[in-house]
Amino acid sequence: MQKEKFDRIISFLLGASWAILIFGALITFQLFSFLGISLALFITITFVVVSFFLILALDAFSINRQRLEEAKKQTNLLEQICSKDIK
């Protein structure tokens, strides 16, 4: 149950992050377009790069969670194999 909640939260946050990235880039460009196209484009690209790092961090949480679950399964199997060898 706990794993499902974590996965749902991470999935929701990833989706929300992509939406913030897309709409934030459009809004950022429109807000700074009065300063000039080149400056507005530079600020928008900076916003997009920072947003990508945040999305990568969320994805890393998800991948590390999956890696931990797989390691637990493998450890359990190895313990079962070792207990059979001893008897």
Side-chain angles (χ1 to χ4, degrees):
M1 186 70 174
Q2 192 72 6
K3 181 173 68 170
E4 292 177 9
K5 287 181 184 178
F6 181 79
D7 291 336
R8 287 182 184 168
I9 291 171
I10 291 295
S11 294
F12 173 76
L13 289 175
L14 277 170
S17 297
W18 279 106
I20 290 171
L21 178 107
I22 292 169
F23 290 119
L26 291 172
I27 292 169
T28 303
F29 184 78
Q30 288 178 352
L31 280 175
F32 291 100
S33 63
F34 73 93
L35 296 174
I37 298 296
S38 61
L39 184 61
L41 193 62
F42 174 74
I43 293 172
T44 303
I45 289 172
T46 304
F47 174 79
V48 168
V49 168
V50 170
S51 297
F52 275 142
F53 280 119
L54 295 175
I55 290 172
L56 286 175
L58 285 173
D59 198 34
F61 286 138
S62 177
I63 289 171
N64 284 335
R65 173 70 176 207
Q66 291 172 357
R67 187 183 302 161
L68 176 65
E69 291 298 321
E70 192 63 33
K72 285 181 182 179
K73 289 178 189 176
Q74 291 175 2
T75 302
N76 190 13
L77 286 173
L78 287 173
E79 287 174 351
Q80 289 175 359
I81 291 171
C82 286
S83 67
K84 288 181 180 179
D85 285 343
I86 294 173
K87 294 180 180 179

